[in-house]
Structures are given as C-alpha cells and as structure tokens.
Amino acid sequence: MTPPRTFTIQTFGCQMNVYDSERMGEALVAAGYEAVALDSGGAADLTILNTCHIREKAAEKVYSEIGRLKKHGARMIAVAGCVAQAEGAEIMARAPVDIVVGPQAYHRLPELVARAAHKPVDTDMPIVPKFDALPPRARPRGPSAHLTVQEGCDKFCAFCVVPYTRGAEASRPAAAILAEATVLLAGGARELTLLGQNVNAYRDADGVGLAALIRQLARLPGLARIRYTTSHPRDMDDDLIAAHVEVPALMPFLHLPVQSGSDAVLKRMNRQHSAAEYLRLIERVRRARPDIALSGDFIVGFPGETDADFEATLALVRETNYTQAYSFKYSPRPGTPAARAADPVPEPVMVERLARLQELLFAQQHAFNRASEGHTLDVLFDRPGRLPGQLIGKTPHLQSVHVIAPGLKLGDLAPVHIQSAGPRSLEGTLVPMAKAA
Ligand code: 5AD
Ligand code: SF4
C-alpha cells in the first residue's frame, strides 16, 4: 500500500476528544501529513474516527461509521479514543480497520500510520509520556481553546466506563500546562477551558492543585477567561470555591454532576456523596459566589430506580435550579458493576422520566435566560454568525449571544445589552460607544 499523505479526523463525544483530535492532527502535521477537511466521501488517504464509549449509542455509531467509510472506498481507517481502548480486539474482529489507537497512545500515531500494513493496535496507557512526546501546540482554532490538565478517574461510579477507558487519575505538571497556555495565548486564544474527567481532582507532583493552577494561569497576559470541566462533588474544595471569588478571570460557572437526587440510587451508583451533601456544597458555592451558574449531569432509569427515587431527583433539580444540564437514559456498559444489576427499569418508564426531567431542566434554563433580558453582559465573541456582520459569543454564564457587530472581530470582548432570550440563546445589541476590549 502506498503510504498515506492526507488525513481527516471525525470526532465523537466529549470536549476531551475534541482536544485529543486537535493534538492528533498536530502530531500528524508535524510528521509531514496534510490535514484535509472532513467530508463524507473518504477523500483523505487516512480517516481517523475519534470515538466515545460512554453510552451504547455512541459506541455503536463507530461500527456504522466504519461500514459507511468502507462503502465509500476509504483507503485507510484508524479508530482512536475510548471505543478503541475498550473494544480494540472486537473492532478488529467485527469491522477490521488499519489502526486502533487508545487515548493514551496517540502520540505514537505517526509511527502507527507508517507501519499500518501490520494492522497495529496500541492501547498502552502511559499518560505523561503522551504529553511529553507530543509536538508543541499549533495555533488555536479560535479565541476559545481547550487544554487538558488531568485525565482519568478513580471514582468508579457503578455505571461508568471512564475509569477503564481513560485509566487512573493523572495530572499534568503545572509548568507544562502554563507553557501550553502561553503558546495558545500567543496564537490568539483569549479563553481557556481546562479539561479533565475529574478536573477538580487536579494535583500535580509538586502539590499544585486546580485553584493554584488557575491563579497562575490568570497571571498570563492576554488571558481573559478561564473555565474548567468536569468536576466531582467530592473534589470541590474550599480553595477552588475561594478562587471563584478572588480570580476575576475565572468565570462564574460550575458544571457539577450529581446524577440522581435519591440517596438509595446514589449509593448503588457508588457516587460517594448523598443528595444532602451535594445540596450543602451548592449552598457553600453560592454563598461565596451568588451569581454562579450551575450545570449538571443526570441519569434516569438506573437499575432499581423507583418512582420515589425519580421524584427525589426532580426535587433536587427544583432546589438547585440549574442554568443548563445534560440528562441521559441509563445505558448498561460492558465491564461496569451496574451492568450486572438484575432490576432494569423498563424502557418506556425511562423515556417518560427523561421527558419529565428534561422539561423541568429546559424550563429552568429558559427562565435563567429570560432573567438576562434588559441586562448588560460581557460577551466574548468566538464564532461568526449566519447573518452579515453577525457574531456569536458567550456570556460569563456560558449563554450563547447573537449580536450584529460589524466593527468587531472574533476574540473581542464587549458589553452587550440583552434584548431577548430564547431557551437556548440570547439576542443582544452592542452597548453604544463601547470600545472593543
Ligand atoms: N449511561 C447513561 N449515562 C451515562 N453517563 C456516564 N455513563 C453513563 C451510562 N452508562 C453520563 C453521566 C456522566 C456523563 C458524562 O455521561 O451523567 O456524568
Ligand atoms: Fe465516570 Fe465521572 Fe463517575 Fe468518574 S466520576 S466514574 S468519569 S461519572
């Protein structure tokens, strides 16, 4: 087979996969390969699928996509990400591809491509060597950049594949993160979202925790906004809460999954916190930073979930009042303890519970957006809109705002008067005489 020259990457799943795809692309470009835009025809010599294993639907997508690519005559296919890690051998048996590379081994992708004739599978898990071996960051794609600071999870929630696909919790050295941030800022980034499966468990070998890392990052010139995701309630310490008060660049937004409002379910999920502990934590965060916007993740239909358990989830949502959230039907995942549970919730019950939960969350989100009407909010513009002169940006609370702003460009931060609010986004006008930041 003639060696490939061009490649394209298709990304599924979470923001960490988006970050990983960028870094895989940079590693291949550094090795002399050329990136081409994603297209359906398999025009690139090499197509990389960066995959997600979190729920069955996400994992099954990989097999249909491999089939589709093969039908369109794709020359070489690599499966990367969490499905590669969890099901490498199964992929090779069910839908053979040229390369299988796990999330901790993709720094070796150029080498794997070069010897793809041997159908290599590389699912080693050395996290720090990966970051050491990757080339330095290229220019970020826009003003808002992702930066992985921590990977893996030691929590072992009974439903979740992450501890198996991403391995044990591991934190990158603060110095390496500051160096990467400096390159991203020099390339035009103004906002950094620090990523980790348990980002608030971040602690490097010198004992630098997430709050200290955020304080160091906030001193870098040019950095306007810092965000982090995803956090676990158990790792939300006083120092991080204090950082939300002290560091102006740290945005008033917290994604803090709870999964359920029922103590019985939380216990069987092995979440290591009760509903009351979660609510007390939210109270502490809000006391420190009353304007903080809260986001969460929920699972309905965990095995054995009763009507009363589900009502407890609705009660927790009402009490917390989220500005946005993600909610899912429970999906049994191979190898997780919950997959062996004997008391599944029937599908129609799950469907009905999900609809009720989403209706409540949607109403809370819409109400929060409506409360922004008439206010002036700082907006960081991070993508072009569809109308001439229109830009789309984010408020500190991560709401999307559409603004006609012909004089401004991506990366500008400007006060915007919010005129109307839908459930998903806001419309606003630039405050007259405002100068772009
Ligand atoms: N089924 C449904 N949802 C899941 N999540 C994780 N594992 C599962 C599963 N087996 C959800 C959780 C987690 C989010 C990333 O995905 O809510 O916080
Ligand atoms: Fe999965 Fe998050 Fe639980 Fe870790 S803390 S096992 S990533 S749901």
Side-chain angles (χ1 to χ4, degrees), residues 166-299:
R166 290 275 174 174
E169 285 177 8
S171 297
R172 297 176 63 193
I177 295 163
L178 286 162
E180 186 170 333
T182 304
V183 174
L184 290 169
L185 294 170
R190 301 218 57 200
E191 171 177 89
L192 295 178
T193 301
L194 311 181
L195 300 180
Q197 271 92 28
N198 258 292
V199 73
N200 60 343
Y202 174 85
R203 187 159 298 274
D204 80 356
D206 298 324
V208 178
L210 186 63
L213 177 68
I214 286 170
R215 290 190 187 98
Q216 291 183 31
L217 285 166
R219 286 198 282 271
L220 296 177
L223 181 54
R225 289 181 167 186
I226 304 173
R227 302 181 184 277
Y228 59 93
T229 199
T230 288
S231 298
H232 191 284
R234 284 280 296 245
D235 295 316
M236 202 68 214
D237 65 11
D238 287 339
D239 200 21
L240 187 54
I241 297 175
H244 272 286
V245 182
E246 292 159 21
V247 182
L250 183 58
M251 290 295 101
F253 184 92
L254 177 60
H255 180 69
L256 195 64
V258 64
Q259 315 296 354
S260 168
S262 154
D263 284 344
V265 173
L266 288 169
K267 194 160 186 8
R268 289 203 305 281
M269 284 178 163
N270 189 32
R271 284 291 296 176
Q272 303 171 43
H273 60 77
S274 66
E277 280 165 345
Y278 179 83
L279 290 169
R280 270 202 299 276
L281 173 57
I282 298 290
E283 208 180 288
R284 265 170 52 218
V285 173
R286 281 201 165 128
R287 217 177 301 131
R289 187 75 213 225
D291 66 332
I292 202 152
L294 286 167
S295 165
D297 289 345
F298 296 89
I299 295 176

Side-chain angles (χ1 to χ4, degrees), residues 302-371:
F302 187 75
E305 185 188 66
T306 63
D307 282 342
D309 291 325
F310 177 63
E311 291 301 328
T313 299
L314 294 180
L316 180 141
V317 170
R318 282 190 205 101
E319 183 156 349
T320 305
N321 200 6
Y322 291 91
T323 65
Q324 61 154 78
Y326 304 91
S327 45
F328 313 98
K329 287 186 290 182
Y330 169 68
S331 167
R333 306 305 295 125
T336 59
R340 295 192 296 270
D343 41 1
V345 172
E347 174 73 16
V349 177
M350 282 208 263
V351 170
E352 202 239 2
R353 286 182 188 165
L354 187 66
R356 282 182 65 200
L357 175 60
Q358 291 189 337
E359 192 185 340
L360 175 60
L361 290 167
F362 195 68
Q364 291 187 343
Q365 180 174 329
H366 199 177
F368 178 74
N369 285 346
R370 268 199 303 259

Side-chain angles (χ1 to χ4, degrees), residues 54-108:
I54 199 90
R55 283 168 292 274
E56 189 183 356
K57 231 194 210 159
E60 283 304 311
K61 239 186 236 163
V62 179
Y63 292 96
S64 57
E65 194 53 30
I66 294 172
R68 200 186 63 80
L69 285 169
K70 286 189 171 179
K71 211 169 99 196
H72 283 85
R75 280 194 47 207
M76 186 185 279
I77 302 172
V79 177
C82 292
V83 180
Q85 189 66 40
E87 300 182 8
E90 190 181 337
I91 294 167
M92 285 306 197
R94 239 177 103 179
V97 294
D98 301 281
I99 296 167
V100 168
V101 61
Q104 306 311 354
Y106 66 70
H107 53 294
R108 292 196 285 258

